[in-house]
Amino acid sequence: MPTIGRDDVARLADLARIQLTDDEISRFAGEFDAIMDAVASVSEVATADVPATSHPIPMTNVFREDVVTETLTQEEALSGAPDPEDGRFGVPQILGEE
């Protein structure tokens, strides 16, 4: 199996715009190799007669009936809001735009 070297880690970090120190690059190169070895081990035992699984316990989605019920009025929804504004929730401006 090909190994992931320091140059590969540095290139990936650059593509992801992540700044890594030389020590981190060395550490991650070793960690990626360990991960690749683990994946190779699993790939060796995975055969066509073994179904792929995403969870060890069979799971099914449980849906409830979609029933229309009473909802809050606008006034009820805004009754606990700290700063309602024109019938809406008032929130602080974060982008500096008007």
Side-chain angles (χ1 to χ4, degrees), residues 1 9 12 17-18 21 26 28-29 31 33-35 42 52 54 57 61 66-67 69-70 73 77 79 83-84 93 97:
M1 166 146 303
V9 173
L12 287 171
R17 291 183 165 70
I18 300 172
T21 65
S26 296
F28 290 145
E31 289 177 1
D33 276 341
I35 292 169
V42 170
S54 61
I57 300 169
N61 286 332
D66 191 10
V67 179
T69 61
E70 288 290 319
T73 65
S79 68
D83 188 25
Q93 184 175 343
E97 299 174 0

Side-chain angles (χ1 to χ4, degrees), residues 2 8 13 19 24 27 30 35 40 48 51 55-56 67 72 82 85 87 92:
D8 297 321
Q19 292 181 345
E24 289 171 326
R27 188 179 85 226
I35 292 169
H55 199 277
V67 179
L72 297 176
E85 188 175 298

Side-chain angles (χ1 to χ4, degrees), residues 19-98:
Q19 292 181 345
L20 297 177
T21 65
D22 286 338
D23 291 339
E24 289 171 326
I25 291 173
S26 296
R27 188 179 85 226
F28 290 145
E31 289 177 1
F32 283 136
D33 276 341
I35 292 169
M36 297 286 282
D37 289 341
V39 169
S41 297
V42 170
S43 297
E44 288 174 7
V45 296
T47 61
D49 59 334
V50 177
T53 58
S54 61
H55 199 277
I57 300 169
M59 300 181 78
T60 57
N61 286 332
V62 179
F63 295 102
R64 64 170 173 78
E65 286 292 318
D66 191 10
V67 179
V68 177
T69 61
E70 288 290 319
T71 60
L72 297 176
T73 65
Q74 182 178 17
E75 293 79 25
E76 290 171 330
L78 292 172
S79 68
D83 188 25
E85 188 175 298
D86 298 327
R88 298 173 289 184
F89 291 98
V91 296
Q93 184 175 343
I94 60 169
L95 298 177
E97 299 174 0
E98 299 212 17

